[in-house]
Amino acid sequence: MEFASKIREFSKRVDTLKDGISTEEAAKTSLVMPFFNLLGYDVFNPLEFTPEFTADVGIKKGEKVDYAIMRDGKPVILIECKCSNGDLSDKHGSQLFRYFGTSAAKFGILTNGIIYKFYTDLEESNKMDLSPFLEVDLLDIKDYQINELKKFCKENFDTDKIFSTASELKYSNLIKEYMAQEFDQPSEEFVRHILGAVYEGQKTQKVIDKYKPLIKKSLNTFVNDLVNQKITSALSPQEEDIEEDEPEVDKKESKIVTTEDELQAYYIIRAIGAEVTDIENITHRDTESYFGILFGDNNRKPICRINLDKKQRRIMIPDAQKNFTTYQIETVDEIYKYKKQIIDSIKNYV
């Protein structure tokens, strides 16, 4: 079974077990150890997966971290566990922070068996960052997170490679969190910045308070319009663009649901296509059998077709004669592997 499928199956197991787990030890044995076993580690071999690893902190001797993943007799990952029904607070992070600085480990993981926070020392060498570079919720796991987890599998683990991408991952997530917060509740500073570009008068407190709700509404409307723009087009295709083998579906009976993963795939393909054409030429239409990426919103000009159902995840790319070649993928990010084929497909219409 592919790694992505295994993670998704494990996610279902976690959802089933979580309400019956009330202690830290139960979380370790029922959730944490099986998770690292899934990543390929022998959790019953203390030379590889060491429980109660001693991490002396200053004058405190005998301080222990819950687990350490070992390589060549040295810890490479420290794991601190908490009860699955509790929050992973700053207090718990500070414990891992203390252990991290006294060991040779390059990564620290704080978990309650459901949420996994991954830390390293991006800001200052041998001093664990206060913010994780990756946070994974197994009950709401994203494709790109599965791809990042795969790097921590025993067979793939490479300290330098993970560390080299950790900075981009960390700040990308922090930027998204910041934008989500501003979209939900714009700060005064953010409102002033927006008004600086559109409002010529003096930015008094009264003006800030007046325009804050409008800016919030405008931001959310902008994003919704951006996402729904092409979906609306897909639901109302021009008659001349409809393929003979794609009969029109009664909208009242349609079972088409455009998912977040499909939209993410669409934006990846737009980014790839920007090298050879205006991105406005790249559109999408969803069908019950596949998610189609088109050139010029024309069904007779397919760039590729994507299927992201749970059992089979694949991208199908046509050649100049519209003969499709199928490529299996585990995550949406793997679409980048087929950049050349996608660009060649777009070039058929440029």
Side-chain angles (χ1 to χ4, degrees):
M1 187 185 295
E2 297 175 345
F3 179 71
S5 299
K6 291 180 181 179
I7 287 291
R8 291 191 179 89
E9 285 300 314
F10 185 70
S11 174
K12 295 177 184 177
R13 172 181 168 83
V14 171
D15 192 27
T16 301
L17 295 178
K18 63 179 175 41
D19 293 333
I21 297 175
S22 58
T23 67
E24 183 179 314
E25 287 304 315
K28 289 179 184 178
T29 56
S30 301
L31 302 178
V32 177
M33 291 176 67
F35 174 77
F36 284 98
N37 185 62
L38 185 61
L39 296 186
Y41 298 99
D42 184 353
V43 296
F44 299 107
N45 179 359
L47 299 180
E48 178 172 301
F49 195 81
T50 306
E52 296 295 307
F53 179 77
T54 300
D56 291 335
V57 180
I59 61 173
K60 290 187 177 182
K61 302 299 180 182
E63 290 281 308
K64 297 182 184 298
V65 65
D66 289 311
Y67 300 105
I69 294 178
M70 311 293 288
R71 176 174 287 184
D72 299 325
K74 295 181 179 180
V76 290
I77 303 175
L78 299 181
I79 305 161
E80 181 70 9
C81 307
K82 299 302 168 187
C83 183
S84 60
N85 58 10
D87 294 329
L88 298 179
S89 65
D90 292 339
K91 174 185 175 182
H92 298 146
S94 66
Q95 288 178 296
L96 187 59
F97 181 91
R98 295 199 310 272
Y99 303 148
F100 186 93
T102 63
S103 77
K106 194 64 177 176
F107 301 101
I109 300 175
L110 178 63
T111 182
N112 59 9
I114 299 173
I115 296 172
Y116 288 78
K117 295 184 176 184
F118 294 75
Y119 299 83
T120 188
D121 56 350
L122 294 169
E123 306 298 336
E124 187 176 341
S125 183
N126 299 321
K127 186 176 181 180
M128 192 183 88
D129 299 336
L130 296 178
S131 300
F133 67 87
L134 174 65
E135 181 171 336
V136 176
D137 183 345
L138 290 180
L139 300 182
D140 185 27
I141 193 164
K142 306 295 191 299
D143 272 349
Y144 84 90
Q145 294 172 335
I146 294 177
N147 204 38
E148 294 302 322
L149 283 180
K150 194 172 182 180
K151 297 176 183 177
F152 281 88
C153 288
K154 179 181 176 180
E155 61 180 9
N156 301 326
F157 186 78
D158 184 311
T159 298
D160 293 336
K161 286 184 179 180
I162 297 175
F163 187 78
S164 67
T165 59
S167 179
E168 179 180 346
L169 189 61
K170 174 182 177 179
Y171 289 104
S172 174
N173 289 333
L174 289 175
I175 289 169
K176 286 189 287 185
E177 289 174 10
Y178 168 76
M179 293 304 298
Q181 181 177 337
E182 293 293 350
F183 273 45
D184 181 61
Q185 193 61 46
S187 65
E188 184 172 316
E189 181 183 5
F190 189 76
V191 172
R192 285 185 182 277
H193 176 73
I194 297 295
L195 289 180
V198 299
Y199 184 80
E200 295 182 357
Q202 188 175 358
K203 285 76 173 176
T204 64
Q205 189 62 51
K206 186 176 181 180
V207 170
I208 297 294
D209 294 339
K210 175 184 177 181
Y211 283 97
K212 182 181 288 188
L214 179 60
I215 287 176
K216 176 181 177 179
K217 180 179 178 181
S218 300
L219 288 172
N220 284 281
T221 300
F222 170 73
V223 172
N224 289 335
D225 287 348
L226 195 64
V227 171
N228 292 326
Q229 181 181 13
K230 298 306 178 181
I231 296 177
T232 301
S233 175
L235 294 175
S236 305
Q238 297 297 317
E239 183 177 351
E240 64 270 20
D241 287 343
I242 300 176
E243 278 188 320
E244 294 181 1
D245 62 349
E246 287 292 337
E248 185 173 358
V249 179
D250 188 333
K251 294 176 186 176
K252 293 183 179 179
E253 298 180 0
S254 176
K255 298 178 182 178
I256 298 172
V257 176
T258 301
T259 67
E260 182 180 339
D261 282 351
E262 288 170 337
L263 289 174
Q264 184 181 350
Y266 167 59
Y267 292 128
I268 288 174
I269 291 167
R270 287 188 97 190
I272 292 172
E275 294 187 12
V276 292
T277 188
D278 189 320
I279 60 172
E280 294 303 318
N281 290 328
I282 302 174
T283 62
H284 69 73
R285 292 187 192 175
D286 208 349
T287 73
E288 291 190 21
S289 54
Y290 61 81
F291 182 74
I293 309 295
L294 309 174
F295 186 88
D297 201 23
N298 188 334
N299 238 3
R300 296 190 178 90
K301 296 182 178 181
I303 295 171
C304 65
R305 294 173 178 175
I306 295 171
N307 190 313
L308 296 175
D309 62 33
K310 294 182 179 180
K311 293 183 179 179
Q312 192 170 38
R313 302 167 71 82
R314 58 188 178 175
I315 180 170
M316 296 153 279
I317 306 174
D319 58 20
Q321 288 73 44
K322 293 189 174 62
N323 297 314
F324 285 81
T325 300
T326 299
Y327 304 93
Q328 303 299 325
I329 58 175
E330 288 191 14
T331 67
V332 173
D333 287 342
E334 289 187 17
I335 290 173
Y336 283 111
K337 292 182 179 180
Y338 306 103
K339 177 179 177 179
K340 180 182 182 302
Q341 292 90 328
I342 292 168
I343 287 178
D344 287 345
S345 178
I346 294 172
K347 285 181 176 178
N348 290 329
Y349 314 117
V350 175

